[in-house]
């Protein structure tokens, strides 16, 4: 289902949504979310983090859990009082996809946003980094909804599942509140700021003197780590920043802070390349915004030729990302978790 049928189904829905009537598909949307939920919830030994979470869920009451987030720990312990510890996989998948579905309802082209999720985030995060995946889904709600309480609740849930989300949310809140004049200035001049900020970052991280001699080796190691840098993902980000700058006048009447934060996230990704763990988390939280930005760009562009060209390029890049992820040994072959189905609480 993951490798072919589901991909084809969401892709065809994206095409229909973009060129025909998007509203007719929304009943099918719920079915697709249920399939994604079940595929994630019932897997066994798929995903690089599966074993880590398996041991956490099994031993949460006897292990030192102080390094884990409060809400996450409480949810797991509460589940273990009543159900098989494996049921936590169902619980985490359910929380993730319910929050994601609610957040994606505000996206212009929801199936295109869902297609981006399937290609970029489903396997690396819903399958692997489950806590971060839930926090990233909360980030969508924080960004897209203006209601004060929805923002507060999404913020609390996010930091309750992943601590790093605190810094991401605060940074976005700051970007959202800065003056519009400053926002416009940042967007217009961002291409002049990239290199100076990059070198300033190197200076403050004490890398400047070693930069020239060590850069090639560092970059090689960085690229070779499967989840550190995806060339196809990097190309997509650079292309999107170029589109944001090119179509600035069309996009400035929307939530401009989303685009600014996306650009800032890319800059931080370059500046903090030596701070590996923090870097990758900032990178993926900001990349979550692609589920908003790409549909918004396609919605705003009136030229059919430009829209077709951008859509085709994005589909090709996303497909490259997905093919890479689906072919990782940790993600195949798909296996069912029969320990969940037997109902044993041990």
């Amino acid at each position: 289902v993951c490798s072919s049928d589901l991909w084809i189904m969401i892709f065809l829905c994206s095409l229909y949504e973009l060129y025909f009537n998007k509203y007719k598909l929304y009943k099918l949307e719920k079915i697709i979310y249920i399939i994604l939920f079940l595929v994630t919830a019932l897997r066994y030994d798929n995903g690089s983090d599966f074993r880590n979470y398996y041991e956490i869920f099994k031993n949460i009451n006897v292990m030192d859990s102080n390094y884990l987030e409060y809400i996450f720990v409480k949810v797991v312990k509460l589940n273990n009082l009543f159900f098989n510890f494996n049921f936590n996989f169902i619980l985490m998948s359910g929380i993730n996809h319910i929050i994601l579905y609610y957040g994606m309802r505000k996206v212009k082209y929801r199936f295109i946003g869902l297609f981006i999720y399937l290609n970029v985030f489903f396997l690396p995060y819903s399958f692997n980094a489950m806590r971060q995946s839930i926090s990233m889904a909360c980030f969508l709600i924080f960004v897209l909804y203006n209601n004060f309480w929805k923002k507060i609740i999404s913020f609390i849930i996010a930091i309750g599942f992943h601590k790093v989300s605190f810094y991401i949310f605060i940074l976005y809140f700051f970007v959202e509140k800065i003056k519009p004049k400053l926002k416009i200035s940042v967007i217009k001049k961002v291409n002049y700021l990239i290199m100076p900020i990059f070198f300033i970052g190197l200076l403050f991280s004490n890398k400047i003197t070693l930069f020239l001699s060590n850069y090639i080796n560092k970059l090689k190691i960085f690229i070779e780590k499967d989840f550190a840098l995806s060339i196809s993902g990097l190309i997509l980000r650079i292309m999107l920043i170029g589109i944001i700058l090119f179509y600035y006048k069309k996009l400035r009447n929307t939530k401009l802070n989303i685009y600014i934060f996306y650009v800032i996230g890319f800059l931080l990704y370059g500046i903090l390349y030596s701070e590996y763990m923090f870097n990758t988390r900032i990178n993926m939280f900001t990349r979550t915004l692609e589920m908003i930005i790409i549909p918004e760009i396609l919605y705003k562009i009136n030229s059919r030729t430009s829209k077709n060209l951008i859509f085709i390029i994005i589909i090709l890049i996303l497909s490259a990302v997905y093919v890479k992820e689906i072919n990782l040994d940790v993600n195949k072959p798909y296996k069912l978790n029969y320990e969940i189905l037997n109902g044993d609480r041990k």
Side-chain angles (χ1 to χ4, degrees), residues 5 51 88 102 161 193 203 205 254 264 268:
D5 296 345
R51 280 292 162 186
N88 283 294
Y102 188 73
F161 278 91
L193 293 174
L203 179 63
S205 60
T254 58
I264 290 173
L268 290 174

Side-chain angles (χ1 to χ4, degrees), residues 33-150:
Y33 271 98
I34 291 171
I35 294 172
L36 290 170
F37 153 70
L38 290 174
V39 168
T40 308
L42 299 179
R43 76 192 189 283
Y44 183 81
D45 220 12
N46 293 113
S48 58
D49 284 348
F50 178 88
R51 280 292 162 186
N52 292 334
Y53 278 106
Y54 185 92
E55 294 300 323
I56 289 171
F57 293 156
K58 184 177 181 179
N59 301 308
I60 193 71
N61 291 318
V62 295
M63 63 180 284
D64 179 11
S65 59
N66 290 329
Y67 71 97
L68 294 168
E69 292 79 3
Y70 180 80
I71 294 177
F72 172 76
V73 170
K74 291 301 179 184
V75 168
V76 173
K77 286 185 176 181
L78 183 63
N79 170 81
N80 289 1
L81 287 175
F82 301 100
F83 302 103
N84 181 317
F85 70 87
N86 281 280
F87 192 79
N88 283 294
F89 288 104
I90 295 178
L91 197 58
M92 296 301 159
S93 179
I95 294 170
N96 179 51
H97 286 97
I98 288 170
I99 295 173
L100 180 68
Y101 172 75
Y102 188 73
M104 292 291 285
R105 291 173 67 185
K106 285 278 190 177
V107 174
K108 293 292 185 184
Y109 290 123
R110 282 150 58 169
F111 273 100
I112 294 175
L114 183 58
F115 187 70
I116 296 164
Y117 165 73
L118 177 69
N119 284 273
V120 180
F121 303 101
F122 180 63
L123 290 174
Y125 290 89
S126 295
F127 254 51
N128 293 310
M130 289 182 284
R131 287 155 44 233
Q132 186 173 339
S133 183
I134 291 170
S135 295
M136 287 160 62
C138 290
F139 187 53
L140 285 178
I141 294 177
F142 189 84
V143 168
L144 288 169
Y145 285 81
N146 293 322
N147 182 278
F148 174 78
W149 289 110
K150 288 177 182 177

